[in-house]
Amino acid sequence: MPAALYALALGGFGIGLTEFVIMGLLPQVAADFGVTETVAGYLISGYALSVAVGGIALTAALSRVPRRRALLLLMVLFIAGNLLSAVAPTYGMTMAGRVVAALCHGAFFGIGAVVAADLVPANRRAAAISVMFAGLTIANVAGVPLGTFLGQAAGWRATFWAITVIGVIGLVGIAVLVPRIEHRSAGSVLSEFRIFRERQVWLSMAVTVLAFGGMFGGFTYIAFTLTDVSGFSGAAVPWLLVVFGAGLFAGNVLGGRAADRNLVKALTAIIAVLAVVLVVFALTAQSKVATVVSLLLMGGFGFATVPGLQARIMRYADGSTGTGSTLGSGANIAAFNVGNAFGAWAAGLALAAGAGYTAPLWVGAAITVAGLGVLLVAVRTRGGELARPRDVEHEPAPAAV
């Protein structure tokens, strides 16, 4: 794989660290600013909403900017946001820093996925996308525990200083390693929005919301499932989350390779197995051994969907505009975050109804099955919508080079 992909992965690592590390630092942030943990938690939800906005609005705004330059501008925004969080004297300023950093999240992964795909032959595009997203998964496996430890030892601001430094290194890496790729402008910014006339773009986004939202719904309250149902101690939860993170990393890599071989078959199988894993997890959550295995598989099959889902929407967005549109890619990043919010909300409703701590897994399975249904409808109705030869999802890709 080209070295440029690893520069993109480093940027993804920093962004993933920014998104998730705050979860382990909320008590310190709340104490420092004298706010409740619920108010401190808005630093998480505010970030997610800003990702969804930036994934579409900022990607569209940068649609006419050469992609390498756009990535560099986004990394500058990322650095500025985390630097603001590190030095912020008030809670409001910290929130502002989180929002600034989050705005670049969706656009970076959206534009970065297109750049990654352009760096390799057509039959390796999903694998290339998975390399970029590997930074996000590594952030979950190693970055978040280390960032939390640093914050606990040296104060939560130290973690944001460290992320700022990572951002600077990522900026240099992209400047040095990512080549200038010919940019085909679609004309006006508004012309980019033509992708939303394409039914398959909407269906692809719906699959993303439901398939990934199902996994996230099952995961949101997993700490309660692990302690109250499986019988693990609270001290064991971080280590169990490392197991989940290892699944994310493996699933991302293997899912990309599978999607390159046959996109529709890979997505169909992965989403179907994910639903089964969630059901089995719900049925066997009382067993510690089964829980560990289920955590690994839930992370694996959950994130194995990502390269394929991203590749699918890029295919149809490109077919709609004929310009290799980045807006579809950014919109799908927004869809991932909408799925996160929807899955967590639905699982929360089940808990509020008194259904117990395995209920989020059942809810996640149901949402995932709905995603599978939408995918099957999308595949069934896609004929003739793209007048591009050899752009057929059922057709396996040529052997990797």
Side-chain angles (χ1 to χ4, degrees), residues 240-284:
L240 292 168
L241 295 183
V242 171
V243 172
F244 177 79
L248 296 181
F249 180 81
N252 177 59
V253 174
L254 297 176
R257 293 176 182 174
D260 275 332
R261 292 188 179 93
N262 191 303
L263 182 55
V264 72
K265 287 184 178 179
L267 281 177
T268 302
I270 290 167
I271 295 173
V273 175
L274 174 60
V276 172
V277 167
L278 289 166
V279 169
V280 172
F281 195 171
L283 292 172
T284 62

Side-chain angles (χ1 to χ4, degrees), residues 26 29-30 32-46 85 88-98 156-157:
L26 284 184
V29 174
D32 194 12
F33 290 125
V35 299
T36 65
E37 290 197 9
T38 300
V39 172
Y42 295 155
L43 295 172
I44 298 173
S45 55
S85 293
T90 65
Y91 171 84
M93 291 292 286
T94 302
M95 175 64 82
R98 294 282 292 168
W156 64 270
R157 294 178 189 275

